Amino acid sequence: MKPTRFIDSVNCAIEGILHATRTQKHMRYHFLAALAVLFTTLLLRVSSMEFMLLALAVSFVLFAELMNTAVEIVVDMISPGYHPLAKLAKDVAAGAVLVAAFGTAIMGYLVLARYVLPWQKAGLEMIGTESETGMVVSVVLVLIVVVIMKARGGTGTPLEGGGVSGHSAVGFCIATSVALHTQDPLIAVFCFILAAMVSHSRLLLRIHRPREVVAGGLVGVAITVAVHLLFRAFG
């Protein structure tokens, strides 16, 4: 029955939010991201207008995810079995969430960039610029270490699967090298986004597990930074 009191309507709304949070892992991810963003704004002491824009953008993503969950529930109720139109309805609803998240990411960058990028640039300058020789040595060492780890792991093949993701390792190695070589915060962000997309493709293809992708990324970053510091110390 439709609630007749305002407090009952509020309780129903809260129950809907709790249900979406319990059943949808992406909703939980969005809430965690929202907490991280809002906590960051407090640390950076952004202006009231900037905080309002970020809060509005975050709310829009959560709203889109709630609507996506509602569409999925209705579609499953009407069409329990597989139907092309049911799949299309769910895909369109998921697309709405993606558009909202993309817009929020742009908003977050525009608001937080002037606070975060100077710190990032200062950190890169403190570490120093990587030489071209160091970049080449880093990639070669990453490849050697990945092959050794795959061989010792005893799973997968040298070119596919195994203990660590070679694509992730090389991707993050190159991203780290470019970040250190250019000393440009924005280029560094784009390079690491590209490396993350390469790593994510290994998950989509079901070639690697999440921990293998993360391990590969850490290997790539760690070896690149270590080689850079050695070249800087003895160069």
Side-chain angles (χ1 to χ4, degrees):
M1 295 179 61
K2 184 177 180 180
T4 56
R5 298 185 304 168
F6 174 75
I7 187 64
D8 293 332
S9 299
V10 172
N11 288 334
C12 289
I14 294 175
E15 288 179 4
I17 296 173
L18 293 176
H19 173 79
T21 306
R22 284 195 304 267
T23 60
Q24 304 296 318
K25 64 178 181 180
H26 290 104
M27 190 67 183
R28 295 192 291 272
Y29 294 157
H30 290 318
F31 268 120
L32 291 176
L35 289 175
V37 169
L38 296 178
F39 183 71
T40 301
T41 60
L42 294 177
L43 291 179
L44 297 178
R45 297 183 179 181
V46 301
S47 67
S48 299
M49 179 61 69
E50 291 170 334
F51 182 83
M52 181 184 68
L53 292 173
L54 286 174
L56 183 62
V58 169
S59 300
F60 185 55
V61 173
L62 297 177
F63 167 78
E65 185 63 48
L66 288 170
M67 294 304 298
N68 178 48
T69 303
V71 169
E72 289 182 350
I73 293 173
V74 172
V75 169
D76 289 339
M77 179 181 65
I78 297 175
S79 178
Y82 175 80
H83 192 283
L85 293 179
K87 177 182 180 302
L88 184 59
K90 291 185 177 182
D91 290 345
V92 172
V97 179
L98 182 60
V99 170
F102 186 73
T104 300
I106 295 176
M107 177 74 73
Y109 169 77
L110 293 176
V111 171
L112 300 177
R114 71 187 186 94
Y115 296 96
V116 177
L117 292 186
W119 291 2
Q120 183 183 355
K121 186 173 181 61
L124 291 173
E125 291 175 349
M126 183 176 61
I127 296 175
T129 304
E130 185 174 26
S131 64
E132 295 180 1
T133 304
M135 296 174 69
V136 175
V137 172
S138 298
V139 173
V140 173
L141 282 180
V142 166
L143 290 173
I144 293 174
V145 171
V146 166
V147 170
I148 293 175
M149 294 180 71
K150 285 178 177 287
R152 290 181 62 86
T155 58
T157 66
L159 297 179
E160 186 173 312
V164 296
S165 170
H167 287 74
S168 297
V170 174
F172 277 93
C173 169
I174 293 175
T176 305
S177 293
V178 172
L180 293 174
H181 186 73
T182 61
Q183 297 288 305
D184 189 303
L186 185 57
I187 292 177
V189 170
F190 284 152
C191 286
F192 279 105
I193 290 176
L194 185 59
M197 292 174 65
V198 171
S199 302
H200 186 242
S201 69
R202 313 310 289 171
L203 297 177
L204 294 178
L205 294 173
R206 301 185 183 278
I207 296 174
H208 285 286
R209 290 172 292 181
R211 67 180 183 182
E212 295 172 346
V213 169
V214 173
L218 293 176
V219 166
V221 173
I223 291 179
T224 305
V225 173
V227 169
H228 167 68
L229 294 178
L230 286 173
F231 268 75
R232 186 180 180 184
F234 299 102

